[in-house]
Amino acid sequence: MAARKGRSRTCETGEPMEAETCDPGTEGPSQVYLPGRGPPLSEGEELVMDEEAYVLYHRAQTGAPCLSFDIVRDHLGDNRTELPLSLYLCAGTQAESAQSNRLMMLRMHNLHGTRPSPSEGSDDDEEDEDEEDEEEQKPQLELAMVPHYGGINRVRVSWLGEEPVAGVWSEKGQVEVFALRRLLQVVDDPQALAIFLRDEQARIKPIFSFAGHMGEGFALDWSPRVPGRLLTGDCQKNVHLWTPTEGGSWNVDQRPFVGHTRSVEDLQWSPTEDTVFASCSADASIRIWDIRAAPGKACMLTTATAHDGDVNVISWSRREPFLLSGGDDGALKVWDLRQFKARNGAACSATCMGRLLSPC
């Protein structure tokens, strides 16, 4: 979260400043910076992250840039309140050369909360205690890497019963599925991790791959209701359905879902219906599909101009019939799916329930 002091956070000197001045000696109350609200940034002014806005804040470096990551669910539950915390992340890199990319499993643990700075005038004993506390509260990171040829556009993790898997969209035009059990095991065991990095990592291969998209893509989503059911969408406007089969494989329907006219940017399964999913595209539309129909007739509801430009991301509410979308126009919109009127692919004007930063 970025913050400003008064109206702005910093000036050309790099020091905090008041609302209308650049006086390093004064500060106004901290305010959250919201795009579109308040005065624009001044020339030479920059936003500064305010750690006081967070209960917990940590950073980790992965070397090459990561365009996508996903949290791996563990046995610790969703309602975690006691510090220190831990989490598992699966991420993929987009390195400069295809051979330098990695699929990574990260275990971050001993994550303590943000703490106020020590008070001035503390005695030596208190300073020693603070140093000991800082040492004990250092965050820890274990990392297991698997070589991957080609940059990774999107990573999504799911569980097939007791087996964790990752769907990986590659810039080389393939979608692969990797088994993650071994990676999860070694990040929990330093000795096993050393053996893995020395002897095993180069031998890890995908358990399934599909090259039928004929080009790269970014859209990918595992069904939260039917284990192993997967959707993948590409930059050629096509969406394919993956159905799990016995033996740990998949049947990928070669017939794409037809409807979008440009790149499919994101896909989301319904959290309440086994056969329903939503898609968004660079053609500015959002579409609702039902896989019980033939792929050429599966588009049931459409809003053709959801945004003024590309629709980049969608997220389906797990509790209400709402869909959140974000686009190149800088807007976030909340859609009430009960207001989608048309069927069989006909265009309709869905009602925008709310819009961040500017009215509908």
Side-chain angles (χ1 to χ4, degrees):
M1 179 181 293
R4 308 176 78 159
K5 293 289 187 179
R7 282 169 142 184
S8 56
R9 173 68 172 167
T10 61
C11 60
E12 294 181 2
T13 63
E15 299 294 334
M17 65 180 182
E18 284 270 353
E20 298 292 349
T21 68
C22 191
D23 180 2
T26 58
E27 283 190 2
S30 295
Q31 293 183 351
V32 175
Y33 174 75
L34 294 176
R37 297 267 184 92
L41 295 177
S42 303
E43 183 179 355
E45 183 184 4
E46 62 182 26
L47 295 175
V48 176
M49 188 275 293
D50 188 351
E51 291 192 17
E52 294 180 1
Y54 298 87
V55 175
L56 183 147
Y57 176 83
H58 294 278
R59 293 181 294 178
Q61 293 285 347
T62 59
C66 288
L67 183 64
S68 179
F69 70 90
D70 202 6
I71 294 176
V72 183
R73 290 187 176 272
D74 53 40
H75 64 281
L76 299 177
D78 295 331
N79 299 315
R80 310 184 192 191
T81 58
E82 295 186 5
L83 299 174
L85 299 179
S86 64
L87 76 155
Y88 298 85
L89 294 175
C90 186
T93 67
Q94 286 206 328
E96 291 186 2
S97 65
Q99 295 86 352
S100 300
N101 285 289
R102 299 290 185 268
L103 178 67
M104 301 181 294
M105 179 66 67
L106 300 89
R107 178 189 175 218
M108 302 178 69
H109 58 108
N110 201 40
L111 304 179
H112 289 266
T114 55
R115 299 194 309 155
S117 301
S119 60
E120 295 183 2
S122 59
D123 57 31
D124 293 340
D125 290 340
E126 290 177 341
E127 290 180 359
D128 291 340
E129 290 178 1
D130 289 338
E131 290 178 359
E132 291 177 1
D133 289 343
E134 289 180 4
E135 186 66 27
E136 292 178 355
Q137 295 184 8
K138 282 186 177 180
Q140 303 296 318
L141 171 65
E142 276 73 51
L143 171 63
M145 298 185 295
V146 174
H148 185 275
Y149 183 75
I152 295 174
N153 294 343
R154 184 68 57 89
V155 174
R156 288 293 178 264
V157 175
S158 184
W159 287 82
L160 306 183
E162 298 298 319
E163 297 296 325
V165 295
V168 176
W169 238 127
S170 169
E171 67 176 356
K172 297 302 179 182
Q174 284 192 328
V175 183
E176 302 153 317
V177 178
F178 284 83
L180 300 179
R181 175 172 293 276
R182 182 58 178 158
L183 299 181
L184 283 171
Q185 289 173 343
V186 300
V187 295
D188 280 333
D189 185 338
Q191 185 174 358
L193 179 58
I195 296 173
F196 173 84
L197 296 177
R198 186 187 66 210
D199 301 330
E200 301 178 35
Q201 61 174 333
R203 299 201 299 266
I204 301 294
K205 304 297 180 183
I207 60 176
F208 188 85
S209 62
F210 174 65
H213 275 285
M214 307 305 290
E216 72 174 323
F218 296 84
L220 185 155
D221 194 39
W222 294 99
S223 170
R225 298 179 57 84
V226 182
R229 184 176 282 175
L230 178 67
L231 289 166
T232 54
D234 59 37
C235 296
Q236 310 296 324
K237 72 188 179 185
N238 296 319
V239 177
H240 287 274
L241 173 66
W242 299 42
T243 303
T245 62
E246 293 184 4
S249 186
W250 281 263
N251 175 42
V252 185
D253 195 334
Q254 299 291 334
R255 303 168 300 165
F257 291 97
V258 177
H260 287 297
T261 59
R262 295 182 63 192
S263 171
V264 179
E265 298 293 282
D266 200 10
L267 293 163
Q268 279 266 297
W269 283 103
S270 166
T272 57
E273 300 290 337
D274 292 355
T275 63
V276 176
F277 72 90
S279 65
C280 66
S281 168
D283 64 13
S285 73
I286 297 174
R287 295 174 181 265
I288 310 297
W289 311 74
D290 193 327
I291 65 173
R292 290 174 293 184
K297 301 179 179 179
C299 182
M300 301 296 171
L301 310 173
T302 304
T303 176
T305 54
H307 285 261
D308 296 330
D310 299 7
V311 187
N312 298 320
V313 63
I314 50 176
S315 183
W316 207 315
S317 170
R318 298 184 181 183
R319 298 183 179 181
E320 303 291 344
F322 297 155
L323 193 73
L324 179 68
S325 66
D328 270 3
D329 55 4
L332 294 176
K333 296 184 179 182
V334 179
W335 303 87
D336 186 341
L337 298 178
R338 294 166 296 188
Q339 301 297 323
F340 278 61
K341 300 294 185 181
R343 290 191 175 273
N344 299 324
C348 68
S349 56
T351 299
C352 172
M353 293 285 294
R355 187 171 178 178
L356 191 64
L357 310 182
S358 58
C360 295

